[in-house]
Amino acid sequence: MAGHLRRATFSSLSVAAAFCASLALSGCVKHVPPPAAPETEAKAKPAPPEHLTVSQIVARSAESVVVVRTPIGLGTGFVVAPGIVATNLHVVAGAGQILLATSGGKKLKISAIAGLDPTHDLALLAFAADALPGPLPLRTDAPPVAGDPVIAIGTPQGLALTASTGIVSAVREVGPKLTLVQTTAPISPGSSGGPLLDENGRVIGITTLIAKTGQNLNFAVPVQYLAALLHDTAAPITLAEFAKIRWGRRGRSDGRSAGESDEGIARPVDRPSFPESVAGFRLGATVDEAKASCKKSFRATGNHAECGGAPIALPFARGSVFLYFSGEHLVAVELTGSSLEDTRTALVTKYGPPDGIAHARTGREQVGWQLSGGTITVNVGKSRIEILYTSQASDVESNY
């Protein structure tokens, strides 16, 4: 579902906008470097690094890299400890169901969140310890420097276990609590949460951001932040508790730490369920049924289709309707908003205040509603408003 995957890591400046906006980053200010490795780890004498080819590194790492799927998107993760997979928080934020898929065909459901670091966009997912191979080694003894060769492994645009190579371009100071590793190793939406490896197969970062306003500007969170999170003693939270957390411009709306209960978070109790049809198209319909509903031009390519106009006129949308299918059934509908005021008025009137609002420094905004049965996401750019309705089947995989 390419159109949907394009948003799986939020919007334009693709990742950078969503990550920096939703986690309250505000430009380049005084530098606070990544934390040093825990003392016991820092004193350990690492074994001499083994020189490996790119193909050897990919082969050795492949089984420990997983696809992370939720009802509203997908990303990448990798095993960092027995029973623990690391990924980006924005890949799983708001999800009530998380599924891991390995290169060997195993599918595992996550039942608990072992750790959270909203400041650095990191999450640790717990699974049955004997279900996946061993963890990838972390390089915590020496920070990367410009010119170091690197390999990224991820799920760009849903293409699992994709490897790309490049170098460390720079180590950037982008906030009071954040340093990022800039790299030329290409990544795309869906790569978020994947490992960035050095020439010895050790993880030096977690691929997180891309800047679409330039050429090949890619960023990873340094592994030192992940090492610190792994040594955090905060209590795990259940997936049910995690799904209740609202993530906005400054992280959790209630300001509490990840170990505290979220039973008191207020949510609209009279909010309607996710609609059974959108703009005249029934969710779950086949391509032929959708075509029969379309009164204007209809063009289908693979699992995507475009109808020249909505069968049912909507005061807040105009132009073509984009349809996305999975397993021969319609799972998402994308509309183009006619105006920001009309879009907000229509959606807020029907569904109440949004669950989250993220603002990018570029002026782009993302607003989202979590509903029973699906989600609605509005991406607002300088010249375009995108409204994406995505159904949420009981089986996560049926959405992809």
Side-chain angles (χ1 to χ4, degrees):
M1 180 163 111
H4 181 45
L5 292 176
R6 179 163 49 90
R7 297 168 186 77
T9 51
F10 294 77
S11 59
S12 198
L13 206 117
S14 191
V15 225
F19 177 39
C20 294
S22 64
L23 302 182
L25 304 179
S26 56
C28 299
V29 292
K30 184 178 178 180
H31 171 46
V32 175
E39 185 175 352
T40 56
E41 195 169 339
K43 288 183 177 180
K45 294 182 179 180
E50 182 181 1
H51 295 288
L52 304 171
T53 65
V54 172
S55 59
Q56 287 175 325
I57 292 172
V58 174
R60 290 189 179 192
S61 306
E63 291 187 355
S64 297
V65 179
V66 299
V67 179
V68 181
R69 296 182 184 271
T70 77
I72 56 175
L74 63 81
T76 307
F78 58 99
V79 183
V80 291
I84 301 294
V85 160
T87 188
N88 283 142
L89 174 57
H90 75 253
V91 171
V92 295
Q97 188 177 19
I98 303 172
L99 183 74
L100 303 182
T102 72
S103 61
K106 289 185 178 179
K107 295 179 175 61
L108 305 168
K109 287 187 177 180
I110 294 300
S111 59
I113 307 298
L116 290 172
D117 181 358
T119 301
H120 304 111
D121 194 19
L122 295 173
L124 300 178
L125 313 177
F127 64 92
D130 60 348
L132 285 179
L136 295 180
L138 308 184
R139 175 174 142 184
T140 57
D141 58 325
V145 296
D148 283 352
V150 292
I151 302 166
I153 303 178
T155 317
Q157 300 294 351
L159 301 173
L161 205 63
T162 295
S164 60
T165 61
I167 63 168
V168 172
S169 303
V171 178
R172 300 289 182 189
E173 307 163 5
V174 297
K177 296 182 179 180
L178 181 65
T179 294
L180 292 177
V181 178
Q182 181 183 337
T183 175
T184 62
I187 58 175
S188 297
S191 298
S192 289
L196 185 67
L197 307 165
D198 67 8
E199 60 184 338
N200 305 115
R202 298 174 297 173
V203 180
I204 66 167
I206 301 86
T207 54
T208 304
L209 312 176
I210 59 175
K212 287 190 174 180
T213 53
Q215 293 185 349
N216 206 17
L217 300 177
N218 313 300
F219 298 88
V221 175
V223 75
Q224 283 79 5
Y225 295 130
L226 176 59
L229 180 59
L230 286 168
H231 284 79
D232 191 349
T233 57
I237 60 176
T238 67
L239 192 54
E241 291 174 328
F242 176 70
K244 296 177 183 179
I245 302 174
R246 297 181 183 181
W247 302 99
R249 181 175 175 81
R250 296 193 178 276
R252 295 175 61 160
S253 61
D254 58 0
R256 289 178 286 173
S257 66
E260 295 182 73
S261 172
D262 294 283
E263 294 299 327
I265 294 181
R267 299 183 71 90
V269 295
D270 57 349
R271 175 179 285 178
S273 298
F274 186 79
E276 294 182 359
S277 63
V278 176
F281 293 98
R282 181 180 61 84
L283 275 300
T286 63
V287 174
D288 288 342
E289 290 171 338
K291 183 176 181 179
S293 299
C294 179
K295 307 304 180 184
K296 297 189 177 182
S297 61
F298 188 88
R299 181 177 59 189
T301 305
N303 62 341
H304 310 144
E306 178 181 351
C307 177
I312 297 178
L314 300 175
F316 60 94
R318 64 186 179 189
S320 297
V321 179
F322 300 92
L323 309 173
Y324 304 94
F325 298 83
S326 177
E328 299 181 352
H329 294 287
L330 180 63
V331 296
V333 176
E334 179 181 331
L335 306 173
T336 301
S338 56
S339 76
L340 181 57
E341 181 179 357
D342 290 345
T343 300
R344 280 178 169 164
T345 298
L347 294 176
V348 172
T349 298
K350 185 170 184 178
Y351 298 108
D355 294 320
I357 302 176
H359 299 276
R361 286 175 291 175
T362 58
R364 193 172 176 89
E365 178 182 81
Q366 184 182 69
V367 182
W369 287 262
Q370 292 281 342
L371 308 176
S372 175
T375 61
I376 301 176
T377 305
V378 179
N379 291 295
V380 182
K382 292 182 178 179
S383 59
R384 181 178 172 84
I385 302 168
E386 301 167 347
I387 310 164
L388 184 70
Y389 294 77
T390 307
S391 68
Q392 181 176 353
S394 58
D395 179 0
V396 175
E397 281 201 302
S398 67
N399 271 351
Y400 300 96

